[in-house]
Amino acid sequence: MEPTVLDDHRAAARVWRRSPALAAVESPARVVLLHLDHVDVPARILEDTGAAIWHAIDGLRDSAAIVATVAAAFGIDESVIHDQVAQFLDDLRAAELVEALVSTPEAA
Amino acid sequence: MIPGGAARPTAAEAAPLVHVLCERVAQTSRTRVLAIKGPVVAMQGLRAPRTSADVDVLVHPDDLTTFVEHMRAAGWHDATETTAPRLVRAHSVNLLHDHWPVGIDVHHHFPGFLAPDAEVFDALWARRRAYVMAGARVTAADPVSMVAVVGLHLLRHDDGTSARLDDLVGRAEAVLGPEDLDALLQLARDTDSVVPLRPILLRLGLRRAATIETTHPVELASWYDRAGAPPGSVWGRQLSRTPWWRWPQVVWHAVRLTDDEIATYHGGGDTRRELARARRRRLRRGFGLVPGILHGYLTGQPRHLHRH
């Protein structure tokens, strides 16, 4: 099944945070993640841009802010990576490694 | 394209994560499991950080079966058991996983603690401490217990004078305060490990250790049997217990072992060429063990040899 790609409106409305049920070994260019509720599932390894996206997930940034952060870090235009970042975030969410929160004007 | 991930963690990445994994399995299986040795020792300042090939945990003997069953359910499998004779009874279950580059030694007994395994575990468990590894909580032996555990591990192959033992003693002097040192001696008494640990306890200024004797003399004899044995002596002892007409069979087995053993314990790979290379390497090393084999043959005492 193809992973769902968030459209601009929905993606921008979400704030992303890391799952609290994680163990992680992190370095700037590499992140290894173990989900504590699924220890039978191999650890997920993120490298380079994947690691950069992970580092940008801080419970405060929404999709657009994460795209902007990663694009700035790699010197890329946001439009080039927007869809891929959105899909990547959805992959992480499907693996229960991150959670998507609805961003409200009050919260913002 | 955003990369989804590399195949496997490195050993340095895996060690803390596998400790966390063990902790999680212990929680879900309601078993008592302590992290010992490994990265926690470095966190406690009792050794310099280094990457090890295995993760070690100590499990309450009553919980061993349950814990290992839950680890198997999480995809871990038993390592190939060695067919080489042993000088001490089997004291751990070795688990491997195709994804993880480190194995797990699940100890239910730790050589040198001469008291019954459950009493030893309870004494260490009473002093347990939580550490944060990979951002998650891991229950581990506290620094006092860890000095005993690491000390016994080193003393298995050491007469008390090696650089690694010097390092442990020096670091223990810096990490442990006077109350901790008293606690270390008490722990050694509770687990009947004063005599095996005596070289370390005396160097830490615990003079009372000089006059405390064991209450488990048979276990102590077995400890001395193992601790003083040079590498290779186990095969010499095996020969001393074998009728001479069966020596070719023992020698052939010692030289060959099984393919699985060569792959697991001697760095062999999956191909015949890699296995052959590992066998040649082991054979070259084996010539250096001839003095130990002779020592084992000459000192072999049937009452001290335990096979698993």
Side-chain angles (χ1 to χ4, degrees), chain A residues 34 39 42-43, chain B residues 8-9 13-14 17-18 21 76 97-102:
Chain A
L34 175 68
V39 292
Chain B
R8 293 174 100 198
E13 293 163 340
L17 290 169
V18 170
L21 189 155
W76 293 76
H97 193 295
D98 294 341
H99 174 69
W100 295 100
V102 296

Side-chain angles (χ1 to χ4, degrees), chain A residues 21-25 27 30-37 39-50 53 81 84-86 88, chain B residues 1-10 12-14 16-18 20-21 24-25 28 73-76 97 99-100 133-136:
Chain A
L22 282 183
V25 175
S27 63
R30 188 172 154 99
V31 178
V32 187
L33 302 168
L34 175 68
H35 199 295
L36 300 180
D37 292 336
V39 292
D40 55 331
V41 175
R44 178 80 176 255
I45 301 176
L46 312 177
E47 293 181 304
D48 303 322
T49 44
I53 292 170
I81 61 168
Q84 291 179 37
V85 171
F88 187 71
Chain B
M1 177 69 188
I2 296 168
R8 293 174 100 198
T10 64
E13 293 163 340
L17 290 169
V18 170
V20 173
L21 189 155
R24 193 62 167 188
V25 170
T28 55
W76 293 76
H97 193 295
H99 174 69
W100 295 100
M133 300 174 73

Side-chain angles (χ1 to χ4, degrees), chain B:
Chain B
M1 177 69 188
I2 296 168
R8 293 174 100 198
T10 64
E13 293 163 340
L17 290 169
V18 170
H19 269 302
V20 173
L21 189 155
C22 288
E23 174 83 11
R24 193 62 167 188
V25 170
Q27 287 172 352
T28 55
S29 62
R30 297 180 182 277
T31 52
R32 291 156 288 180
V33 177
L34 278 175
I36 57 172
K37 300 169 56 186
V40 180
V41 186
M43 293 171 75
Q44 293 169 334
L46 292 170
R47 80 166 196 208
R50 68 166 185 266
T51 303
S52 47
D54 293 309
V55 160
D56 294 84
V57 296
L58 183 69
V59 60
H60 192 289
D62 293 347
D63 295 343
L64 176 67
T65 303
T66 304
F67 178 72
V68 170
E69 280 175 358
H70 279 75
M71 290 299 295
R72 289 182 186 130
W76 293 76
H77 60 85
D78 294 47
T80 303
E81 278 205 56
T82 178
T83 56
R86 289 174 184 264
L87 288 167
V88 293
R89 65 184 169 98
H91 52 85
S92 65
V93 176
N94 308 119
L95 299 175
L96 298 173
H97 193 295
D98 294 341
H99 174 69
W100 295 100
V102 296
I104 306 173
D105 287 345
V106 183
H107 299 261
H108 48 89
H109 165 75
F110 202 87
F113 289 122
L114 308 179
D117 295 342
E119 288 179 25
V120 170
F121 186 90
D122 289 343
L124 300 178
W125 183 253
R127 302 191 56 84
R128 69 191 180 278
R129 191 176 286 185
Y131 292 87
V132 174
M133 300 174 73
R137 181 179 171 281
V138 172
T139 305
D142 80 323
V144 168
S145 305
M146 204 67 95
V147 169
V149 168
V150 176
L152 288 173
H153 176 68
L154 295 177
L155 286 165
R156 280 197 294 179
H157 309 288
D158 194 296
D159 59 2
T161 60
S162 77
R164 287 178 72 182
L165 209 60
D166 289 346
D167 184 60
L168 175 65
V169 170
R171 289 171 181 270
E173 285 172 336
V175 169
L176 304 183
E179 289 181 4
D180 294 326
L181 290 172
D182 288 341
L184 175 59
L185 183 60
Q186 187 59 49
L187 178 76
R189 296 183 79 139
D190 294 343
T191 56
D192 197 8
S193 56
V194 173
V195 177
L197 280 172
R198 192 174 276 157
I200 291 175
L201 299 177
L202 292 178
R203 288 178 66 181
L204 289 171
L206 296 165
R207 295 181 182 280
R208 282 167 291 168
T211 56
I212 299 170
E213 296 303 330
T214 183
T215 53
H216 299 85
V218 174
E219 287 77 7
L220 180 63
S222 177
W223 162 261
Y224 277 138
D225 206 27
R226 178 68 182 90
S233 60
V234 65
W235 289 106
R237 293 185 188 200
Q238 181 72 353
L239 284 176
S240 74
R241 288 154 179 77
T242 305
W244 65 267
W245 62 85
R246 292 187 61 196
W247 283 14
Q249 188 181 341
V250 172
V251 171
W252 178 247
H253 179 60
V255 170
R256 290 285 299 173
L257 295 182
T258 65
D259 287 352
D260 284 346
E261 283 176 283
I262 293 293
T264 303
Y265 299 106
H266 300 283
D270 296 329
T271 66
R272 299 224 63 80
R273 179 176 293 183
E274 288 170 330
L275 284 172
R277 194 178 297 136
R279 277 207 165 87
R280 285 197 298 273
R281 224 173 21 237
R282 180 171 177 272
L283 200 55
R284 280 197 297 273
R285 218 169 36 236
F287 288 122
L289 300 181
V290 168
I293 295 170
L294 283 173
H295 176 275
Y297 176 75
L298 295 172
T299 61
Q301 295 295 321
R303 67 180 180 278
H304 294 322
L305 186 70
H306 303 270
R307 294 200 61 156
H308 64 97

